[in-house]
Amino acid sequence: MPDRWIYHFADGTADGGREDRDLLGGKGADLAEMVGIGVPVPPGFTITTEACREYMRSEQSPEGLDEEVRSHLTLLEQQTERTFGVGPDPLLLSVRSGGAVSMPGMMDTILNLGLNGATVAALALQADDERFAWDAYRRFVQMYACVVLGASSRAFEARLSKARRLCGAATDAELPALELRAVTQDFLQLAESATGRSFPHDPYDQLTGAIEAVFRSWNNDRARAYRRVSRIPGHLGTAVNVMAMVYGNQGHTSGTGVAFTRDPSTGEPRLFGEFLINAQGEDVVAGIRDPLELAAMADALPDAYAELTRVADLLEKHYRDVQDIEFTVERGRLYLLQTRTGKRTAAAAVRAAVDMAEEGLIDEAEALLRVDPEQLDQLLHPRLDPDAEAEPLARGLPASPGAASGRVVLSSAAAVEWAARAEDVILVREETSPEDFEGMVASRAILTARGGMTSHAAVVARGLGLSCVAGAAGVEPDVEAGSVIIGGRTFQEGDWITLDGTGGQVFADRVPTVEPEPSAYFGRLMELADRHRRLKVRANADTPADAQKALSFGSEGIGLCRTEHMFFEGDRIDTVREMILAPDEEVRRAALDRLLPMQRADFLGMFRVMDGLPVTIRLLDPPLHEFLPRTPGDVDALAARLGADPEVVHDRVDRLREANPMLGHRGVRLATTVPEISRMQARAIFEAADDAARDGVSVKPEVMIPLVSMAEELGGQEVLVREVAAEVMRERETSIDFLVGTMIELPRAALTAGEIAAHADFFSFGTNDLTQTTFGLSRDDASTFLPHYIEHGLLSDDPFRTLDVPGVGELVRLATERGRAVKADLKVGICGEHGGDARSVEFFHSIGLDYVSCSPYRVPGARLAAARAAIGDRIPSGPQG
């Protein structure tokens, strides 16, 4: 058992180190650190994550915690000169969660804890404002009932709406004290009827319940969903931060707001945010009132704004990163309630990192470590076509950039359901809450009728890289009716709309988009990455257009060209089918002769685009039945086009079907039994190489044999390829430099890599199939049960997303070592989609691979990941400040 469960903000030793954040949570560690550097913070204390873990283990409050809480409450009373639970100057508290890793929306904050019938009267006298006191009590009862006791918020919101109607009030701030008192009494009854429990009036009972609610929140549905998407370990637990209340709703010299030290959408170096006069914190994020831009605070509260500007600059320089600050001004005095690393869009992350490096605030290595490689994908997606003739139906705040089209869904559950049917959806809500997180993840974009630039919808959308328009006027969702009014037009669930999160616009139907143009900051970041990385980065591309896209993203070659994709181009599929169904070798060769110029043209296009860069071409991999029609009617139609006997064609199609084609007659097995296919493809490659070279193109072909499991298979294909190359060079009186290698995608190939290397110039690990064959599962079917494995801790990650290092990774490492032991200059890379995953790239760097290859859009992320991996080699082990 630890020596203590609680640290006071002022007596912690927090300095931003890893150990402090693990113990105190990010919020608690930052509060202690802010106190240490002289930032104005209300007094308070942090209950450690160890207490949460003990609570989860024993399902009860840890031994000794109660005594420590009472002791620290006494200290708070001394510091504030207020008394908890009694008048005439009652101490009220806020209670917030705070994990080691920021998890926005895990549990709503409890404010004004400690109020009851006696203390609300004392608060009214102390503040000389009865309306303020009853508003605070109303808020507390509603929050506590919903967050701690588990009541639904609907009845409370309905009662509050009724009060506004009766009083003719546009906002809650206009409700008089008498009406707020009646609302609060009704809220107490609603809480009891909704939960079957009396609302706790003893302040210490209230605090105990709130602390335990924070502990429980670590494992609620939305917290688990967030951890799953963000890859946050489930064992960490959350800290609890208990803080003396300060009030932003004590008149026009008070207020509350959220500030970022740089614009979280663009990265521009300016103080950015929103605030409200005479309000509490949840009013800003909930969208109950329309917030003001932070710049307006300079006129409304000039002294507090000047102090906020000074403190924001101090915090950014201290933490050397963008800060997200929550603040309250109480009767002209500024208090900071928290600071944390600001979540930002990918564009903002890139600009902030580059700017800070150029400002000298951080070095190049730190700048590269500041940008998540997976974020870069957000910069490479379409935007609205500026030539599209589309008039917006509604406008709102440009809360998260990018454009997306999708079908309207009106609830989180509907978003998940529609997305499971492979439909693109846009989640439309009055406003989002943490309960909507899974639906937000399933959506292409988010539209809300209420809320600001720092609302829940805006913050989560930016973190997920989703387009978001918030606070859109003229958007009226009706969940029960299954429809939404947008700009006076009614849309049913399932209708198409388009959002422009950059301009804050909503359009009917699907609007055309154009490809993005990454900013100059993006290019400068990539230049930094290329200076620091060792791993080369190639792309998987099957057409000249794909290759051109890869080249524009900085690809250094093609690591995988899947020739089977070319077989489906245009009307050549019938020629392919004629070759497959040929009754003898003569007919098959005739079909292959017609395919040869088609393949030659394909490869010529690839070589021209990748002038001077290597192009790895994989010979035919799938089983032949994948090219054949499946329904009887389609088979009959094919027979008619080929002028063949339908009965014969049906029989041939039936005989080619396999029980398990993943492990069947495909890859090198097909090439071994039907070598004329390999001969045609090899000839097409070398003839195209010669044609390209005669046009002045520098050609570097690499021929890859798939699905090899033993050296003898590769040996036979190596001889075949080299024979064909010699024939072409002799016929054309030319010389072509080329490599012959293999794709390592079977465990036996990895284990016998030393023998296989004798016939290979290079290895390319097909980690997608290597994962399938190592685990013995199908990536197409595993989605039905892998989430269960991850949720219950059997797997930490989806092995098709992030490489399984202990199993698949060990095979890659072993094969690399055994192959290079035989052939020291063996080129080794990977061409599975793990090549675009940052953590997988880090592993590939660590075992000395030469390159990774991934889809074109993931190339920039792989370049950055490779640089971060190289930087990691230079960072000494142990805690970093």
Side-chain angles (χ1 to χ4, degrees):
M1 182 180 295
D3 294 335
R4 59 196 296 193
W5 298 114
I6 296 177
Y7 288 80
H8 197 277
F9 295 165
D11 68 8
T13 59
D15 59 2
R18 180 71 254 169
E19 293 178 359
D20 291 315
R21 304 185 83 78
D22 285 347
L23 181 68
L24 303 177
K27 194 172 296 181
D30 287 332
L31 286 166
E33 195 166 351
M34 282 194 289
V35 170
I37 63 174
V39 172
V41 173
F45 57 86
T46 299
I47 303 173
T48 67
T49 58
E50 289 180 327
C52 178
R53 291 193 290 272
E54 177 61 22
Y55 179 88
M56 290 189 292
R57 186 191 65 80
S58 63
E59 297 186 352
Q60 61 183 7
S61 186
E63 182 181 347
L65 177 60
D66 180 76
E67 291 78 5
E68 284 194 55
V69 169
R70 291 182 183 275
S71 174
H72 279 79
L73 278 174
T74 299
L75 179 59
L76 273 186
E77 289 176 330
Q78 295 169 355
Q79 289 181 300
T80 61
E81 298 182 347
R82 295 174 178 175
T83 308
F84 185 58
V86 296
D89 194 359
L91 170 65
L92 302 181
L93 305 172
S94 69
V95 179
R96 303 166 184 251
S97 63
V101 180
S102 177
M103 292 174 57
M106 187 177 75
M107 193 193 93
D108 296 330
T109 299
I110 306 295
L111 301 178
N112 309 317
L113 188 145
L115 282 173
N116 55 26
T119 53
V120 71
L123 182 64
L125 288 173
Q126 187 273 334
D128 192 23
D129 188 342
E130 187 177 10
R131 190 209 164 278
F132 156 73
W134 281 101
D135 184 46
Y137 195 13
R138 182 273 304 174
R139 292 170 185 266
F140 168 62
V141 174
Q142 182 175 357
M143 288 181 191
Y144 200 93
C146 297
V147 175
V148 178
L149 303 181
S152 169
S153 63
R154 290 182 181 176
F156 296 92
E157 290 295 341
R159 176 63 183 89
L160 201 56
S161 295
K162 179 182 177 182
R164 289 195 296 268
R165 286 197 307 273
L166 291 174
C167 297
T171 68
D172 299 342
E174 298 174 16
L175 291 173
L178 190 63
E179 185 60 31
L180 286 169
R181 184 170 188 162
V183 168
T184 304
Q185 297 300 330
D186 287 348
F187 275 12
L188 289 168
Q189 294 176 7
L190 283 172
E192 185 169 347
S193 62
T195 64
R197 291 185 283 169
S198 297
F199 190 92
H201 294 287
D202 179 88
Y204 194 79
D205 289 343
Q206 294 172 359
L207 179 58
T208 299
I211 291 169
E212 292 188 357
V214 174
F215 290 159
R216 292 193 302 271
S217 74
W218 179 254
N219 278 327
N220 67 27
D221 290 342
R222 64 179 183 259
R224 287 200 302 270
Y226 189 94
R227 290 201 297 272
R228 184 170 62 250
V229 171
S230 304
R231 300 177 176 180
I232 298 172
H235 67 274
L236 297 177
T238 181
V240 184
N241 296 289
V242 179
M243 180 185 287
M245 282 295 301
V246 289
Y247 299 98
N249 56 340
Q250 285 202 330
H252 291 285
T253 60
S254 301
T256 187
V258 177
F260 289 81
T261 56
R262 302 192 186 221
D263 189 317
S265 289
T266 67
E268 181 184 351
R270 69 183 180 101
L271 195 60
F272 170 94
E274 297 169 329
F275 86 110
L276 284 169
I277 293 289
N278 193 27
Q280 284 199 320
E282 77 273 15
D283 295 341
V284 176
V285 297
I288 294 170
R289 290 164 54 189
D290 291 333
L292 302 173
E293 289 189 9
L294 195 59
M297 185 178 166
D299 295 325
L301 300 169
D303 292 342
Y305 182 76
E307 175 68 356
L308 176 63
T309 301
R310 183 192 71 81
V311 170
D313 185 61
L314 171 67
L315 288 171
E316 182 174 278
K317 284 183 168 59
H318 177 75
Y319 285 103
R320 300 182 305 112
D321 203 353
V322 180
Q323 294 300 293
D324 172 0
I325 300 164
E326 289 183 22
F327 66 89
T328 289
V329 180
E330 183 182 71
R331 295 180 175 177
R333 183 175 178 182
L334 176 74
Y335 292 93
L336 265 65
L337 307 183
Q338 78 166 27
T339 190
R340 59 188 174 191
T341 300
K343 292 190 177 297
R344 64 207 85 166
T345 64
V350 169
R351 176 169 180 177
V354 171
D355 278 347
M356 286 182 173
E358 294 177 353
E359 292 164 12
L361 191 61
I362 57 178
D363 61 21
E364 288 185 2
E366 183 66 25
L368 293 168
L369 294 173
R370 286 285 173 82
V371 182
D372 183 347
E374 294 189 4
Q375 276 189 301
L376 296 186
D377 193 46
Q378 300 173 22
L379 302 177
L380 308 174
H381 291 290
R383 58 187 173 85
L384 291 182
D385 184 345
D387 296 327
E389 296 182 2
E391 288 295 324
L393 293 175
R395 296 179 184 271
L397 297 173
S400 187
S405 297
R407 296 183 183 274
V408 168
V409 292
L410 299 169
S411 68
S412 179
V416 172
E417 179 183 343
W418 281 74
R421 301 198 298 267
E423 295 278 5
D424 292 334
V425 298
I426 292 179
L427 181 61
V428 182
R429 302 286 280 159
E430 182 76 17
E431 57 190 288
T432 65
S433 68
E435 285 85 353
D436 292 314
F437 181 75
E438 288 190 86
M440 297 169 81
V441 171
S443 302
R444 291 287 311 281
I446 299 161
L447 171 63
T448 65
R450 294 163 61 177
M453 294 287 284
T454 51
S455 65
H456 178 265
V459 170
V460 173
R462 285 197 294 267
L464 294 173
L466 302 176
S467 170
C468 178
V469 176
V475 174
E476 304 172 31
D478 187 338
V479 178
E480 291 185 4
S483 63
V484 58
I485 297 173
I486 303 176
R489 177 173 166 179
T490 300
F491 291 80
Q492 302 298 322
E493 193 162 65
D495 289 342
W496 284 89
I497 61 171
T498 297
L499 297 192
D500 175 18
T502 303
Q505 299 173 317
V506 187
F507 301 86
D509 305 315
R510 285 178 275 194
V511 179
T513 58
V514 295
E515 294 301 307
E517 298 176 3
S519 70
Y521 291 99
F522 179 89
R524 281 145 69 182
L525 184 77
M526 289 294 95
E527 289 174 6
L528 291 183
D530 292 343
R531 285 208 294 269
H532 286 266
R533 66 184 168 92
R534 177 191 61 77
L535 271 175
K536 297 289 186 181
V537 178
R538 301 190 191 182
N540 302 338
D542 308 323
T543 67
D546 288 344
Q548 187 63 59
K549 176 61 66 180
L551 200 60
S552 72
F553 290 148
S555 172
E556 296 167 297
I558 300 300
L560 174 62
C561 174
R562 292 155 288 210
T563 57
E564 60 270 10
H565 291 181
M566 300 170 174
F567 282 20
F568 291 95
E569 288 288 321
D571 58 1
R572 72 178 68 177
I573 186 61
D574 278 349
T575 306
V576 173
R577 289 169 171 171
E578 183 181 349
M579 179 270 293
I580 294 170
L581 299 172
D584 54 47
E585 185 174 330
E586 183 180 352
V587 176
R588 183 180 300 116
R589 286 187 181 278
L592 288 168
D593 286 344
R594 293 198 299 277
L595 284 173
L596 174 61
M598 303 176 192
Q599 285 268 270
R600 184 170 58 234
D602 295 329
F603 300 140
L604 178 58
M606 299 291 286
F607 291 141
R608 282 175 172 162
V609 171
M610 305 306 294
D611 187 1
L613 297 174
V615 178
T616 304
I617 299 170
R618 184 179 71 185
L619 300 188
L620 190 63
D621 184 44
L624 295 179
H625 80 272
E626 289 195 5
F627 300 99
L628 298 176
R630 294 184 177 136
T631 68
D634 288 340
V635 173
D636 288 337
L638 174 62
R641 287 198 300 275
L642 297 180
D645 183 340
E647 206 171 305
V648 173
V649 174
H650 275 279
D651 179 66
R652 179 69 171 145
V653 169
D654 289 341
R655 283 190 288 114
L656 283 170
R657 287 200 181 96
E658 297 181 286
N660 192 341
M662 168 62 208
L663 303 177
H665 191 195
R666 52 168 285 214
V668 72
R669 301 156 194 168
L670 179 62
T672 299
T673 58
V674 192
E676 47 268 41
I677 297 176
S678 293
R679 285 189 174 277
M680 181 276 290
Q681 291 194 296
R683 175 168 283 274
I685 291 169
F686 295 120
E687 289 182 352
D690 180 56
D691 289 345
R694 291 174 188 274
D695 291 339
V697 175
S698 176
V699 184
K700 297 182 178 180
E702 300 179 352
V703 182
M704 183 160 68
I705 313 301
L707 210 70
V708 164
S709 62
M710 48 189 169
E712 292 79 1
E713 290 173 318
L714 181 59
Q717 287 297 296
E718 183 201 10
V719 169
L720 181 151
V721 170
R722 295 193 186 280
E723 283 179 352
V724 173
E727 289 172 7
V728 172
M729 287 188 275
R730 185 169 56 252
E731 293 165 3
R732 293 189 169 216
E733 297 181 348
T734 188
S735 178
I736 302 169
D737 291 329
F738 66 94
L739 302 179
V740 179
T742 187
M743 180 181 275
I744 304 290
E745 50 196 320
L746 297 174
R748 191 182 192 281
L751 294 172
T752 61
E755 299 171 19
I756 290 173
H759 303 282
D761 298 317
F762 67 89
F763 284 171
S764 179
F765 290 95
T767 53
N768 299 344
D769 277 352
L770 188 57
T771 298
Q772 291 194 104
T773 54
T774 300
F775 275 92
L777 54 81
S778 163
R779 66 171 177 258
D780 297 322
D781 302 320
S783 60
T784 60
F785 60 85
L786 274 184
H788 178 90
Y789 272 52
I790 295 167
E791 179 70 24
H792 291 80
L794 280 76
L795 287 170
S796 58
D797 295 287
D798 181 339
F800 294 107
R801 179 180 176 185
T802 296
L803 192 79
D804 165 52
V805 170
V808 180
E810 180 63 12
L811 287 172
V812 174
R813 183 193 62 77
L814 184 150
T816 301
E817 291 176 355
R818 292 185 178 180
R820 285 179 171 163
V822 170
K823 193 172 287 185
D825 61 348
L826 185 73
K827 184 186 293 187
V828 183
I830 79 110
C831 58
E833 276 303 294
H834 295 100
D837 174 73
R839 285 188 292 163
S840 305
V841 169
E842 183 178 354
F843 170 75
F844 299 137
H845 168 90
S846 73
I847 63 171
L849 297 196
D850 295 302
Y851 68 88
V852 297
S853 188
C854 55
S855 58
Y857 281 91
R858 303 188 76 186
V859 166
R863 291 163 66 192
L864 177 57
R868 288 162 56 103
I871 290 166
D873 285 348
R874 304 195 294 269
I875 296 176
S877 60
Q880 302 298 305

